[in-house]
Amino acid sequence: QVQLVESGGGYVQPGGSLTLSCAASGTILSIGAMGWYRRPPGQLRELVATISSSGVTEYADSVKGRFTVSRDNAQNTVTLQMNSLKSEDTAVYYCDAGVRSPSTDSLAVRYWGQGTLVTVSS
């Protein structure tokens, strides 16, 4: 059974930093693209950042220059370093990954973390 477990959410003042981490566990054959989404209060979930298996990254315009996504293939983890946080960054953040496992008959299936709340407020 594949699971994504997140950590690092919390309360931070504007201008501060937080690092979110997400680790995939279970019987895993391989992991393709990984990424982060967020759902601000009263809004739909939106893409924050993605990183391919080879390390190619994409970012939402709202976080470019402030957030950095990275991955550790040996640890099956993806990390989101968030700097210069703004109140607009307040949201529930979700990690996701395309995972190949025996339970998916070796097909790549998207898995989601449970979500972690980031609150940016003075």
Short mmCIF file of all heavy atoms in Angstrom, two decimals, residues 2-64:
data_model
loop_
_atom_site.label_atom_id
_atom_site.label_comp_id
_atom_site.label_asym_id
_atom_site.label_seq_id
_atom_site.Cartn_x
_atom_site.Cartn_y
_atom_site.Cartn_z
N VAL A 2 0.65 2.13 -0.94
CA VAL A 2 1.43 3.34 -1.08
C VAL A 2 0.78 4.47 -0.30
O VAL A 2 -0.44 4.66 -0.36
CB VAL A 2 1.58 3.74 -2.55
CG1 VAL A 2 2.31 5.08 -2.67
CG2 VAL A 2 2.33 2.65 -3.31
N GLN A 3 1.59 5.20 0.43
CA GLN A 3 1.12 6.36 1.15
C GLN A 3 2.10 7.51 0.97
O GLN A 3 3.30 7.30 0.81
CB GLN A 3 0.97 6.07 2.65
CG GLN A 3 -0.16 5.14 3.01
CD GLN A 3 -0.29 4.97 4.51
OE1 GLN A 3 0.69 4.68 5.19
NE2 GLN A 3 -1.49 5.18 5.03
N LEU A 4 1.57 8.73 1.00
CA LEU A 4 2.38 9.93 1.03
C LEU A 4 2.15 10.60 2.38
O LEU A 4 1.01 10.88 2.75
CB LEU A 4 2.00 10.89 -0.09
CG LEU A 4 2.13 10.36 -1.53
CD1 LEU A 4 1.77 11.46 -2.53
CD2 LEU A 4 3.54 9.86 -1.79
N VAL A 5 3.23 10.86 3.09
CA VAL A 5 3.16 11.43 4.42
C VAL A 5 3.85 12.78 4.42
O VAL A 5 5.04 12.86 4.10
CB VAL A 5 3.79 10.50 5.47
CG1 VAL A 5 3.68 11.12 6.86
CG2 VAL A 5 3.11 9.14 5.46
N GLU A 6 3.13 13.81 4.80
CA GLU A 6 3.64 15.17 4.78
C GLU A 6 4.05 15.63 6.17
O GLU A 6 3.56 15.12 7.19
CB GLU A 6 2.59 16.14 4.23
CG GLU A 6 2.11 15.77 2.83
CD GLU A 6 0.98 16.66 2.38
OE1 GLU A 6 0.43 17.42 3.21
OE2 GLU A 6 0.64 16.61 1.18
N SER A 7 4.92 16.63 6.19
CA SER A 7 5.32 17.26 7.43
C SER A 7 5.79 18.67 7.13
O SER A 7 6.14 18.99 5.99
CB SER A 7 6.44 16.47 8.12
OG SER A 7 7.60 16.41 7.32
N GLY A 8 5.80 19.52 8.15
CA GLY A 8 6.36 20.85 8.02
C GLY A 8 5.38 22.00 8.04
O GLY A 8 5.80 23.16 8.12
N GLY A 9 4.09 21.73 7.97
CA GLY A 9 3.12 22.80 8.00
C GLY A 9 3.07 23.45 9.37
O GLY A 9 3.53 22.90 10.36
N GLY A 10 2.50 24.64 9.40
CA GLY A 10 2.39 25.35 10.67
C GLY A 10 2.05 26.80 10.49
O GLY A 10 1.57 27.23 9.43
N TYR A 11 2.32 27.56 11.52
CA TYR A 11 2.00 28.98 11.57
C TYR A 11 3.30 29.77 11.43
O TYR A 11 4.28 29.50 12.12
CB TYR A 11 1.32 29.31 12.90
CG TYR A 11 0.75 30.69 13.00
CD1 TYR A 11 -0.59 30.94 12.70
CD2 TYR A 11 1.55 31.76 13.40
CE1 TYR A 11 -1.11 32.21 12.80
CE2 TYR A 11 1.03 33.04 13.50
CZ TYR A 11 -0.30 33.26 13.21
OH TYR A 11 -0.83 34.52 13.32
N VAL A 12 3.28 30.78 10.56
CA VAL A 12 4.47 31.58 10.32
C VAL A 12 4.06 33.02 10.02
O VAL A 12 2.99 33.27 9.46
CB VAL A 12 5.31 30.99 9.17
CG1 VAL A 12 4.55 31.07 7.86
CG2 VAL A 12 6.66 31.68 9.06
N GLN A 13 4.91 33.96 10.39
CA GLN A 13 4.64 35.36 10.11
C GLN A 13 5.01 35.72 8.68
O GLN A 13 5.86 35.07 8.07
CB GLN A 13 5.41 36.25 11.09
CG GLN A 13 5.01 36.08 12.54
CD GLN A 13 5.71 37.06 13.45
OE1 GLN A 13 6.12 38.15 13.03
NE2 GLN A 13 5.85 36.70 14.70
N PRO A 14 4.39 36.75 8.12
CA PRO A 14 4.77 37.19 6.78
C PRO A 14 6.27 37.48 6.69
O PRO A 14 6.86 38.06 7.60
CB PRO A 14 3.95 38.47 6.59
CG PRO A 14 2.76 38.28 7.47
CD PRO A 14 3.28 37.55 8.68
N GLY A 15 6.86 37.07 5.59
CA GLY A 15 8.29 37.21 5.40
C GLY A 15 9.10 36.03 5.90
O GLY A 15 10.30 35.93 5.61
N GLY A 16 8.46 35.15 6.63
CA GLY A 16 9.14 33.99 7.17
C GLY A 16 9.26 32.86 6.16
O GLY A 16 8.87 32.99 5.00
N SER A 17 9.78 31.75 6.64
CA SER A 17 10.02 30.60 5.78
C SER A 17 9.51 29.32 6.43
O SER A 17 9.47 29.20 7.66
CB SER A 17 11.52 30.43 5.49
OG SER A 17 12.05 31.55 4.82
N LEU A 18 9.13 28.39 5.60
CA LEU A 18 8.76 27.05 6.02
C LEU A 18 9.23 26.07 4.97
O LEU A 18 9.32 26.41 3.78
CB LEU A 18 7.25 26.90 6.20
CG LEU A 18 6.59 27.41 7.47
CD1 LEU A 18 5.08 27.22 7.37
CD2 LEU A 18 7.13 26.69 8.70
N THR A 19 9.50 24.86 5.41
CA THR A 19 9.86 23.79 4.50
C THR A 19 8.88 22.64 4.67
O THR A 19 8.72 22.12 5.78
CB THR A 19 11.29 23.28 4.75
OG1 THR A 19 12.22 24.35 4.56
CG2 THR A 19 11.63 22.16 3.76
N LEU A 20 8.22 22.28 3.60
CA LEU A 20 7.31 21.15 3.60
C LEU A 20 8.00 19.95 2.99
O LEU A 20 8.70 20.08 1.98
CB LEU A 20 6.04 21.47 2.81
CG LEU A 20 5.26 22.72 3.22
CD1 LEU A 20 4.01 22.85 2.36
CD2 LEU A 20 4.92 22.69 4.69
N SER A 21 7.79 18.80 3.60
CA SER A 21 8.37 17.57 3.08
C SER A 21 7.27 16.53 2.92
O SER A 21 6.29 16.52 3.66
CB SER A 21 9.46 17.03 4.02
OG SER A 21 10.54 17.93 4.11
N CYS A 22 7.48 15.64 1.98
CA CYS A 22 6.52 14.58 1.72
C CYS A 22 7.30 13.33 1.33
O CYS A 22 8.10 13.37 0.39
CB CYS A 22 5.55 14.98 0.62
SG CYS A 22 4.31 13.72 0.21
N ALA A 23 7.05 12.25 2.04
CA ALA A 23 7.74 11.00 1.79
C ALA A 23 6.75 9.94 1.33
O ALA A 23 5.69 9.77 1.93
CB ALA A 23 8.47 10.53 3.04
N ALA A 24 7.11 9.25 0.28
CA ALA A 24 6.32 8.14 -0.21
C ALA A 24 6.80 6.85 0.43
O ALA A 24 8.01 6.60 0.52
CB ALA A 24 6.40 8.03 -1.73
N SER A 25 5.86 6.03 0.87
CA SER A 25 6.21 4.77 1.49
C SER A 25 5.34 3.66 0.93
O SER A 25 4.30 3.91 0.32
CB SER A 25 6.07 4.84 3.01
OG SER A 25 4.72 5.08 3.38
N GLY A 26 5.75 2.44 1.17
CA GLY A 26 5.05 1.28 0.66
C GLY A 26 5.91 0.52 -0.32
O GLY A 26 7.11 0.78 -0.46
N THR A 27 5.29 -0.42 -1.00
CA THR A 27 6.01 -1.18 -2.01
C THR A 27 5.99 -0.40 -3.31
O THR A 27 4.99 -0.36 -4.02
CB THR A 27 5.37 -2.56 -2.20
OG1 THR A 27 5.32 -3.25 -0.94
CG2 THR A 27 6.18 -3.38 -3.18
N ILE A 28 7.11 0.23 -3.61
CA ILE A 28 7.21 1.16 -4.72
C ILE A 28 8.20 0.64 -5.75
O ILE A 28 9.32 0.28 -5.41
CB ILE A 28 7.63 2.55 -4.23
CG1 ILE A 28 6.56 3.14 -3.31
CG2 ILE A 28 7.91 3.48 -5.42
CD1 ILE A 28 6.97 4.42 -2.63
N LEU A 29 7.77 0.62 -6.98
CA LEU A 29 8.66 0.25 -8.07
C LEU A 29 9.43 1.45 -8.57
O LEU A 29 10.64 1.37 -8.80
CB LEU A 29 7.88 -0.39 -9.21
CG LEU A 29 7.10 -1.67 -8.86
CD1 LEU A 29 6.32 -2.16 -10.07
CD2 LEU A 29 8.05 -2.75 -8.36
N SER A 30 8.74 2.56 -8.76
CA SER A 30 9.38 3.79 -9.20
C SER A 30 8.41 4.94 -8.99
O SER A 30 7.20 4.74 -8.87
CB SER A 30 9.82 3.72 -10.66
OG SER A 30 8.71 3.60 -11.52
N ILE A 31 8.94 6.15 -8.97
CA ILE A 31 8.14 7.35 -8.85
C ILE A 31 8.48 8.30 -9.99
O ILE A 31 9.66 8.58 -10.24
CB ILE A 31 8.38 8.06 -7.50
CG1 ILE A 31 8.01 7.14 -6.34
CG2 ILE A 31 7.57 9.35 -7.42
CD1 ILE A 31 8.26 7.73 -4.99
N GLY A 32 7.46 8.77 -10.67
CA GLY A 32 7.66 9.71 -11.75
C GLY A 32 7.64 11.13 -11.24
O GLY A 32 8.37 11.50 -10.32
N ALA A 33 6.77 11.95 -11.83
CA ALA A 33 6.67 13.34 -11.41
C ALA A 33 6.11 13.45 -9.99
O ALA A 33 5.27 12.65 -9.57
CB ALA A 33 5.79 14.12 -12.38
N MET A 34 6.57 14.44 -9.27
CA MET A 34 6.07 14.75 -7.94
C MET A 34 5.75 16.24 -7.92
O MET A 34 6.28 17.01 -8.72
CB MET A 34 7.09 14.41 -6.86
CG MET A 34 7.62 12.99 -6.93
SD MET A 34 8.81 12.59 -5.62
CE MET A 34 7.69 12.35 -4.24
N GLY A 35 4.88 16.63 -7.00
CA GLY A 35 4.53 18.03 -6.97
C GLY A 35 3.76 18.45 -5.74
O GLY A 35 3.49 17.64 -4.84
N TRP A 36 3.42 19.72 -5.73
CA TRP A 36 2.68 20.33 -4.63
C TRP A 36 1.51 21.13 -5.18
O TRP A 36 1.65 21.85 -6.17
CB TRP A 36 3.57 21.25 -3.80
CG TRP A 36 4.63 20.54 -3.04
CD1 TRP A 36 5.90 20.27 -3.45
CD2 TRP A 36 4.51 20.00 -1.72
NE1 TRP A 36 6.59 19.59 -2.47
CE2 TRP A 36 5.76 19.41 -1.40
CE3 TRP A 36 3.48 19.94 -0.79
CZ2 TRP A 36 5.99 18.79 -0.18
CZ3 TRP A 36 3.72 19.32 0.42
CH2 TRP A 36 4.96 18.76 0.72
N TYR A 37 0.38 20.99 -4.52
CA TYR A 37 -0.81 21.78 -4.79
C TYR A 37 -1.24 22.45 -3.49
O TYR A 37 -0.79 22.06 -2.40
CB TYR A 37 -1.95 20.91 -5.32
CG TYR A 37 -1.71 20.36 -6.71
CD1 TYR A 37 -0.84 19.31 -6.93
CD2 TYR A 37 -2.40 20.89 -7.80
CE1 TYR A 37 -0.63 18.81 -8.20
CE2 TYR A 37 -2.20 20.39 -9.07
CZ TYR A 37 -1.32 19.35 -9.26
OH TYR A 37 -1.12 18.86 -10.53
N ARG A 38 -2.10 23.44 -3.61
CA ARG A 38 -2.63 24.06 -2.41
C ARG A 38 -4.07 24.50 -2.64
O ARG A 38 -4.48 24.76 -3.77
CB ARG A 38 -1.78 25.25 -1.96
CG ARG A 38 -1.82 26.46 -2.90
CD ARG A 38 -0.84 27.52 -2.45
NE ARG A 38 -0.90 28.71 -3.28
CZ ARG A 38 -0.05 29.73 -3.18
NH1 ARG A 38 0.92 29.70 -2.27
NH2 ARG A 38 -0.18 30.78 -3.99
N ARG A 39 -4.82 24.58 -1.53
CA ARG A 39 -6.19 25.05 -1.57
C ARG A 39 -6.32 26.22 -0.58
O ARG A 39 -6.43 25.99 0.63
CB ARG A 39 -7.17 23.94 -1.20
CG ARG A 39 -8.64 24.35 -1.39
CD ARG A 39 -9.60 23.29 -0.86
NE ARG A 39 -9.45 22.03 -1.56
CZ ARG A 39 -10.04 21.75 -2.72
NH1 ARG A 39 -10.83 22.64 -3.32
NH2 ARG A 39 -9.85 20.56 -3.28
N PRO A 40 -6.30 27.45 -1.09
CA PRO A 40 -6.52 28.59 -0.21
C PRO A 40 -7.95 28.60 0.32
O PRO A 40 -8.84 27.99 -0.28
CB PRO A 40 -6.26 29.81 -1.12
CG PRO A 40 -5.49 29.26 -2.28
CD PRO A 40 -6.00 27.87 -2.46
N PRO A 41 -8.19 29.28 1.42
CA PRO A 41 -9.55 29.33 1.97
C PRO A 41 -10.55 29.86 0.95
O PRO A 41 -10.33 30.90 0.33
CB PRO A 41 -9.41 30.29 3.16
CG PRO A 41 -7.98 30.20 3.55
CD PRO A 41 -7.23 30.01 2.27
N GLY A 42 -11.63 29.12 0.77
CA GLY A 42 -12.68 29.53 -0.13
C GLY A 42 -12.36 29.45 -1.60
O GLY A 42 -13.11 29.98 -2.42
N GLN A 43 -11.26 28.80 -1.95
CA GLN A 43 -10.84 28.72 -3.34
C GLN A 43 -10.60 27.27 -3.76
O GLN A 43 -10.56 26.36 -2.93
CB GLN A 43 -9.58 29.54 -3.58
CG GLN A 43 -9.71 31.01 -3.23
CD GLN A 43 -8.45 31.79 -3.53
OE1 GLN A 43 -7.78 31.54 -4.54
NE2 GLN A 43 -8.11 32.73 -2.67
N LEU A 44 -10.45 27.07 -5.05
CA LEU A 44 -10.17 25.75 -5.57
C LEU A 44 -8.69 25.41 -5.42
O LEU A 44 -7.84 26.29 -5.29
CB LEU A 44 -10.56 25.67 -7.05
CG LEU A 44 -12.03 25.90 -7.39
CD1 LEU A 44 -12.23 25.88 -8.90
CD2 LEU A 44 -12.90 24.84 -6.73
N ARG A 45 -8.41 24.14 -5.45
CA ARG A 45 -7.03 23.69 -5.38
C ARG A 45 -6.28 24.15 -6.63
O ARG A 45 -6.80 24.10 -7.75
CB ARG A 45 -6.99 22.17 -5.24
CG ARG A 45 -5.58 21.61 -5.07
CD ARG A 45 -5.63 20.19 -4.54
NE ARG A 45 -6.39 19.30 -5.41
CZ ARG A 45 -6.72 18.06 -5.09
NH1 ARG A 45 -6.38 17.57 -3.91
NH2 ARG A 45 -7.41 17.32 -5.94
N GLU A 46 -5.05 24.59 -6.43
CA GLU A 46 -4.24 25.09 -7.53
C GLU A 46 -2.84 24.50 -7.47
O GLU A 46 -2.33 24.13 -6.41
CB GLU A 46 -4.16 26.62 -7.48
CG GLU A 46 -3.48 27.15 -6.23
CD GLU A 46 -3.50 28.67 -6.14
OE1 GLU A 46 -4.26 29.30 -6.88
OE2 GLU A 46 -2.75 29.23 -5.31
N LEU A 47 -2.22 24.45 -8.62
CA LEU A 47 -0.86 23.95 -8.72
C LEU A 47 0.13 24.95 -8.12
O LEU A 47 0.04 26.15 -8.38
CB LEU A 47 -0.51 23.68 -10.18
CG LEU A 47 0.94 23.24 -10.46
CD1 LEU A 47 1.20 21.86 -9.89
CD2 LEU A 47 1.21 23.26 -11.96
N VAL A 48 1.06 24.44 -7.35
CA VAL A 48 2.14 25.26 -6.79
C VAL A 48 3.44 25.01 -7.52
O VAL A 48 4.09 25.94 -8.02
CB VAL A 48 2.32 25.00 -5.29
CG1 VAL A 48 3.49 25.82 -4.74
CG2 VAL A 48 1.04 25.33 -4.53
N ALA A 49 3.85 23.75 -7.59
CA ALA A 49 5.12 23.41 -8.21
C ALA A 49 5.14 21.93 -8.54
O ALA A 49 4.51 21.12 -7.87
CB ALA A 49 6.30 23.75 -7.29
N THR A 50 5.88 21.59 -9.58
CA THR A 50 6.08 20.20 -9.95
C THR A 50 7.55 19.98 -10.25
O THR A 50 8.28 20.90 -10.60
CB THR A 50 5.24 19.78 -11.17
OG1 THR A 50 5.63 20.56 -12.30
CG2 THR A 50 3.76 19.96 -10.89
N ILE A 51 7.95 18.73 -10.13
CA ILE A 51 9.31 18.35 -10.48
C ILE A 51 9.27 16.97 -11.12
O ILE A 51 8.68 16.04 -10.58
CB ILE A 51 10.24 18.39 -9.25
CG1 ILE A 51 11.68 18.02 -9.64
CG2 ILE A 51 9.72 17.49 -8.13
CD1 ILE A 51 12.69 18.33 -8.55
N SER A 52 9.87 16.86 -12.28
CA SER A 52 9.87 15.60 -12.99
C SER A 52 10.88 14.65 -12.38
O SER A 52 11.67 15.00 -11.51
CB SER A 52 10.19 15.83 -14.47
OG SER A 52 11.56 16.16 -14.65
N SER A 53 10.87 13.42 -12.87
CA SER A 53 11.81 12.43 -12.37
C SER A 53 13.25 12.81 -12.65
O SER A 53 14.16 12.37 -11.93
CB SER A 53 11.50 11.05 -12.97
OG SER A 53 11.60 11.09 -14.39
N SER A 54 13.47 13.62 -13.67
CA SER A 54 14.81 14.06 -14.02
C SER A 54 15.18 15.41 -13.40
O SER A 54 16.28 15.90 -13.63
CB SER A 54 14.97 14.14 -15.53
OG SER A 54 14.07 15.07 -16.10
N GLY A 55 14.26 16.01 -12.64
CA GLY A 55 14.58 17.24 -11.95
C GLY A 55 14.11 18.51 -12.60
O GLY A 55 14.44 19.61 -12.13
N VAL A 56 13.35 18.43 -13.68
CA VAL A 56 12.81 19.62 -14.33
C VAL A 56 11.65 20.16 -13.51
O VAL A 56 10.74 19.42 -13.16
CB VAL A 56 12.36 19.31 -15.76
CG1 VAL A 56 11.76 20.55 -16.41
CG2 VAL A 56 13.52 18.78 -16.59
N THR A 57 11.68 21.45 -13.21
CA THR A 57 10.69 22.05 -12.33
C THR A 57 9.80 23.05 -13.04
O THR A 57 10.19 23.66 -14.05
CB THR A 57 11.37 22.76 -11.15
OG1 THR A 57 12.26 23.77 -11.65
CG2 THR A 57 12.18 21.77 -10.33
N GLU A 58 8.59 23.22 -12.51
CA GLU A 58 7.66 24.24 -12.94
C GLU A 58 7.02 24.86 -11.71
O GLU A 58 6.80 24.16 -10.71
CB GLU A 58 6.59 23.68 -13.86
CG GLU A 58 7.09 23.21 -15.20
CD GLU A 58 5.97 22.81 -16.14
OE1 GLU A 58 4.79 22.83 -15.72
OE2 GLU A 58 6.27 22.48 -17.30
N TYR A 59 6.72 26.15 -11.78
CA TYR A 59 6.14 26.86 -10.66
C TYR A 59 4.97 27.72 -11.10
O TYR A 59 4.95 28.25 -12.22
CB TYR A 59 7.18 27.77 -9.99
CG TYR A 59 8.36 27.05 -9.41
CD1 TYR A 59 9.52 26.83 -10.15
CD2 TYR A 59 8.33 26.59 -8.10
CE1 TYR A 59 10.61 26.18 -9.61
CE2 TYR A 59 9.41 25.93 -7.54
CZ TYR A 59 10.55 25.73 -8.30
OH TYR A 59 11.62 25.07 -7.76
N ALA A 60 4.02 27.89 -10.21
CA ALA A 60 2.99 28.87 -10.42
C ALA A 60 3.60 30.26 -10.38
O ALA A 60 4.57 30.51 -9.65
CB ALA A 60 1.90 28.75 -9.35
N ASP A 61 3.05 31.17 -11.17
CA ASP A 61 3.59 32.53 -11.22
C ASP A 61 3.61 33.18 -9.84
O ASP A 61 4.51 33.97 -9.53
CB ASP A 61 2.78 33.39 -12.18
CG ASP A 61 3.00 33.00 -13.63
OD1 ASP A 61 4.02 32.36 -13.94
OD2 ASP A 61 2.14 33.37 -14.47
N SER A 62 2.65 32.86 -9.02
CA SER A 62 2.53 33.50 -7.72
C SER A 62 3.64 33.13 -6.75
O SER A 62 3.84 33.82 -5.74
CB SER A 62 1.17 33.18 -7.09
OG SER A 62 1.02 31.78 -6.93
N VAL A 63 4.37 32.05 -7.02
CA VAL A 63 5.41 31.60 -6.10
C VAL A 63 6.80 31.62 -6.70
O VAL A 63 7.77 31.33 -6.00
CB VAL A 63 5.10 30.19 -5.55
CG1 VAL A 63 3.70 30.13 -4.96
CG2 VAL A 63 5.27 29.14 -6.64
N LYS A 64 6.91 31.95 -7.96
CA LYS A 64 8.22 31.98 -8.61
C LYS A 64 9.16 32.94 -7.90
O LYS A 64 8.79 34.06 -7.55
CB LYS A 64 8.09 32.37 -10.07
CG LYS A 64 7.51 31.29 -10.96
CD LYS A 64 7.42 31.75 -12.41
CE LYS A 64 6.86 30.66 -13.30
NZ LYS A 64 6.70 31.11 -14.70
#
